[in-house]
Amino acid sequence: MLATACAPQEATSSGSEADIDPKVTAALKKEGAVEFVDNLYMENSLQAHLMAQIINEIGGEAEAVEAAGGAETAAAMAKADNMVSMDWWRWQFEDGWQKYVVKEKSIVPVGTSDYKGEEGWYVPTYVIKGDAKRGIKPACPDLPDWKALDKCVDVFKTPRTTPKGQYMTGAESWAPAYGDQDRIDNLKLDYKMVFAGSEAALFAELSKAYERGEPWLGLMWRPNYLTHKYDLTRVEFPPHSAKCWATTYACQWPETVIYRVASAGLESKHPTVWKILKNYSLNDEQLSSMQKLVVDDGMSIKDAAKTWMKQNREVWTAWI
């Protein structure tokens, strides 16, 4: 069992219970507690807390539990019969996929998201095209071709990196997964990597630059509220290949399907939750609306999930 991120969620009292079949509630009570893994990044955290609150709302028992990363999550899920991860980026933990899903079959896919995952180096599109309405002229018009980066070092340099350009990422713990320093070195880019410190700090740095109309170059991904809110363009590195990613990182990120996965015993031990998960469907627009509550409105992850539930009861009751 992973470290508990919160006590079992209380019911949200989001509306009439008339649309919930009493047989579902009875079955959930009989089946026992379920844990939704929170890997501490926003898309994952929101969906973990959302599902925990939904199961509690309809009479079951569930909680969100924190995990430090893919390896810890997978090892715990493989030993349990009641754990779910709502947002598994397969490429980030391919070794775990092969071990637990393919060979051991101790973790099983439940479904996939309605959107593909995309990561990379992003810039505000106005850096490339300008924005006449905001009085912004193109600063690096040869982007998104990565070869333009060294022509635009002066555009992206900051007091922290002069005379080099700045590439900003999140926490230092992210660095091994993305190979950014290797990418910089092997493509001979005249850039220095700077750590914002966290996902929230990275979001804040991008938002500050964008609202001021300033150049910015940094890690971003889809689905993500900021790539939904702002007009951003991904830098086009050489095409991805498994060999490149395993050796030099001098290429683009892989695009990936995002999975929902569960302990292999979940379907037999918690069939009601399994059926709800099979029906689960959250598109990019709906996920972004939840993220907006956190980024723009300052809500906690738990409160954002609860608010979204109250505002979208017809969506999640359809999964039940």
Side-chain angles (χ1 to χ4, degrees), residues 167-174 194-199 201-202 219 221:
Y167 163 73
M168 178 168 282
T169 186
E172 289 191 47
S173 60
W174 298 3
V194 171
F195 296 99
S198 67
E199 181 184 68
L202 180 66
L219 174 70
W221 57 92

Side-chain angles (χ1 to χ4, degrees), residues 9 48 58 82 119 152 157 175 190 207 229 235 302 306:
Q9 317 277 328
I58 62 180
N82 69 334
E119 291 179 281
C152 299
K157 71 182 181 182
D190 197 18
S207 296
K229 177 180 181 180
V235 174
K302 182 177 178 181
K306 184 182 295 186

Side-chain angles (χ1 to χ4, degrees), residues 265-278:
L266 189 86
E267 184 175 8
S268 60
K269 297 292 182 65
H270 304 272
T272 307
V273 173
W274 177 269
K275 290 177 182 177
I276 293 171
L277 291 172
K278 294 291 286 185

Side-chain angles (χ1 to χ4, degrees), residues 218-278:
L219 174 70
M220 202 47 58
W221 57 92
R222 304 179 194 274
N224 183 309
Y225 175 55
L226 292 191
T227 51
H228 188 87
K229 177 180 181 180
Y230 297 135
D231 185 2
L232 305 177
T233 297
R234 186 168 68 158
V235 174
E236 295 176 359
F237 286 110
H240 173 83
S241 71
K243 181 179 180 180
C244 163
W245 199 263
T247 56
T248 67
Y249 291 96
C251 55
Q252 190 60 280
W253 270 248
E255 294 189 7
T256 188
V257 174
I258 303 174
Y259 286 85
R260 297 188 299 282
V261 297
S263 302
L266 189 86
E267 184 175 8
S268 60
K269 297 292 182 65
H270 304 272
T272 307
V273 173
W274 177 269
K275 290 177 182 177
I276 293 171
L277 291 172
K278 294 291 286 185

Side-chain angles (χ1 to χ4, degrees), residues 301-317:
I301 294 290
K302 182 177 178 181
D303 286 345
K306 184 182 295 186
T307 298
W308 190 91
M309 276 184 66
K310 290 179 179 179
Q311 296 172 347
N312 295 274
R313 188 175 179 86
E314 73 287 350
V315 175
W316 62 264
T317 53

